Amino acid sequence: MNTLFNKRYHIRLIWLIIIFLALTFCSVFFAFRYIAEWEPAPSLDYTTKVTLSILAFLTLIYHMHNLENQIKTQEASNRQNLSKYTYDICADFRRPLMMDINEDLRTLLIEQKDKLESQNIKEFIAFIDDPTNRKYRQSLAISLNYFESISAMVLAGDLDNDIVKRLFCKLFGRYYIRLKHYISYRQEEAPKSWVSFETLAKKWLNDEKH
């Protein structure tokens, strides 16, 4: 429907320009020939030059208008593609495999709540490093790495911030608050560990306060 409307609009605009140029040509020729009392040849010559100059100017305006429309259309298309890509990436968090991981992580955070306090964080490290607790360690690592990837893409502008924030704001804040001492401990060994997730979670938590 929009394409059809644009085509009709352009056709009407072209006809208006043709009519305007015809009227302009007649008016200028009349002014040169009868008001200024020029000879027919120079009157026609100057009238043609004036009309062509106006045509060139209108053509420039027309192309500028088209370029502006193309830019707006491309921007709208880019926003739509970014939104779809963002939803596709975020949908991974709800897939069956991630659901099992999320459940293991939720259990870990509930059962080891006290050990996640700053004064007990080494006990938590010892717990997840225990080979018998391998599934919890994997769930924690996979979840944090997933959050880190999402956060890095948001901060780089590769994902729509508003969509990700709407989907993950409370989840990121809740997980970061529970895991901030663990993250800080790991960052002592590897300073870049989950820094994007930390940055984005802190930003969103701060936004929630205002």
Side-chain angles (χ1 to χ4, degrees), residues 5-202:
F5 173 79
N6 288 335
K7 286 182 178 178
R8 289 178 177 175
Y9 169 77
H10 286 141
I11 291 173
R12 290 174 182 174
L13 183 61
I14 290 172
W15 274 110
L16 287 174
I17 291 175
I18 292 174
I19 294 171
F20 172 76
L21 289 174
L23 292 175
T24 300
F25 183 91
C26 293
S27 299
V28 173
F29 180 79
F30 179 83
F32 284 141
R33 180 68 183 89
Y34 297 104
I35 297 178
E37 297 182 350
W38 287 15
E39 293 297 321
S43 296
L44 183 62
D45 181 51
Y46 277 94
T47 299
T48 302
K49 290 178 180 179
V50 170
T51 305
L52 290 176
S53 298
I54 294 174
L55 176 61
F57 177 75
L58 291 177
T59 301
L60 177 62
I61 296 298
Y62 179 77
H63 285 301
M64 289 175 62
H65 176 70
N66 275 346
L67 179 59
E68 183 180 2
N69 283 338
Q70 289 175 10
I71 292 173
K72 289 181 178 179
T73 301
Q74 186 61 48
E75 288 176 347
S77 176
N78 290 342
R79 286 194 298 270
Q80 185 176 11
N81 290 336
L82 180 62
S83 297
K84 184 180 183 303
Y85 180 64
T86 301
Y87 277 116
D88 289 343
I89 293 295
C90 292
D92 289 340
F93 190 71
R94 304 300 180 188
R95 299 191 187 282
L97 177 61
M98 284 299 294
M99 294 296 287
D100 294 336
I101 292 172
N102 294 338
E103 185 59 30
D104 288 339
L105 180 59
R106 190 180 72 85
T107 302
L108 173 66
L109 297 181
I110 292 174
E111 293 181 353
Q112 303 300 315
K113 180 179 178 181
D114 293 337
K115 292 180 181 178
L116 283 166
E117 298 297 329
S118 59
Q119 66 273 18
N120 301 324
I121 197 64
K122 289 186 178 180
E123 295 180 31
F124 179 75
I125 300 296
F127 176 83
I128 62 171
D129 284 346
D130 188 330
T132 60
N133 298 318
R134 184 173 176 230
K135 72 172 184 176
Y136 293 122
R137 182 171 66 252
Q138 288 181 333
S139 296
L140 179 60
I142 290 172
S143 296
L144 282 175
N145 289 338
Y146 175 78
F147 293 158
E148 175 68 9
S149 297
I150 291 289
S151 301
M153 294 176 76
V154 170
L155 295 173
D158 295 329
L159 293 180
D160 188 296
N161 177 79
D162 293 336
I163 293 176
V164 178
K165 186 177 182 180
R166 186 164 63 249
L167 295 174
F168 288 130
C169 180
K170 294 188 181 299
L171 182 71
F172 274 33
R174 185 166 64 249
Y175 275 19
Y176 175 71
I177 289 172
R178 294 182 182 182
L179 293 167
K180 62 182 178 180
H181 299 303
Y182 171 72
I183 292 174
S184 296
Y185 183 87
R186 289 303 190 194
Q187 286 176 346
E188 292 177 5
E189 301 172 351
K192 294 185 178 181
S193 298
W194 309 303
V195 290
S196 296
F197 169 59
E198 182 179 39
T199 299
L200 196 59
K202 284 182 176 179

